Amino acid sequence: MKFKFSLLIIILFSVFINAGDNQKARLIVKIKGLKNDQGTVKVALCNSSENYKEDLAPFKAAIIEIKNNQAIAVFDNLPAGNYAVKAFHDENNNDDFDTNFLGIPKEDYGFSNNARGLFGPPSWDAAKFQLNKIDQIVEINFN
């Protein structure tokens, strides 16, 4: 009888421990330093170096309204893991990241960890972060 009770306790304990592994998280992306409230902010949430690349679709995306020179995107039900965020201020709402004839951006942009690239976007390693809390906040400054 003691063996069955002990086995039941061990099984229940392992179920509770493993239940925490499957919890989903909420990521709140706060974008600050926008120069005006015109247009929208386009946000891409990437969960691998492959979909972080410029020409591939992100894991999740959002188009956010701007209020008081800031914008907030919320991504729910995310599994724990590595992520990176990239965003730009689509000031004229043409759904494109506008650049001049030399490829220099005309619209503000930013990345998680406030990472910066030298000639182009920062690397996945520079922008990635570990999502490991139920509610986690990432702040990106556009200025």
Side-chain angles (χ1 to χ4, degrees):
M1 185 72 154
K2 285 184 179 182
F3 176 74
K4 287 182 182 180
F5 182 73
S6 297
L7 185 60
L8 178 63
I9 295 296
I10 290 171
I11 291 171
L12 287 175
F13 184 71
S14 67
V15 166
F16 285 121
I17 294 294
N18 290 329
D21 293 342
N22 294 326
Q23 283 186 327
K24 300 293 182 176
R26 171 185 293 152
L27 177 66
I28 300 164
V29 179
K30 292 183 177 182
I31 300 184
K32 299 179 177 183
L34 293 153
K35 59 185 171 192
N36 59 52
D37 289 354
Q38 296 174 4
T40 57
V41 174
K42 306 289 196 288
V43 180
L45 177 64
C46 304
N47 65 349
S48 70
S49 62
E50 289 78 30
N51 69 15
Y52 178 77
K53 294 177 183 171
E54 193 172 319
D55 57 343
L56 297 178
F59 174 62
K60 293 193 181 257
I63 300 171
I64 331 167
E65 291 183 20
I66 303 164
K67 292 181 183 168
N68 300 320
N69 296 4
Q70 55 185 337
I72 298 174
V74 178
F75 297 97
D76 287 313
N77 298 317
L78 299 173
N82 289 322
Y83 292 89
V85 176
K86 49 187 178 177
F88 77 95
H89 183 184
D90 190 7
E91 199 169 355
N92 57 6
N93 264 339
N94 67 350
D95 293 326
D96 287 324
F97 180 54
D98 296 329
T99 60
N100 67 16
F101 70 97
L102 295 173
I104 298 171
K106 290 180 172 180
E107 296 175 309
D108 290 335
Y109 61 93
F111 297 85
S112 45
N113 300 328
N114 289 307
R116 298 281 180 209
L118 193 53
F119 292 104
S123 69
W124 160 258
D125 288 331
K128 77 177 177 182
F129 61 91
Q130 179 75 31
L131 179 65
N132 55 11
K133 299 177 187 172
I134 298 299
D135 285 311
Q136 190 162 330
I137 298 172
V138 168
E139 290 188 4
I140 299 174
N141 296 310
F142 272 16
N143 48 0

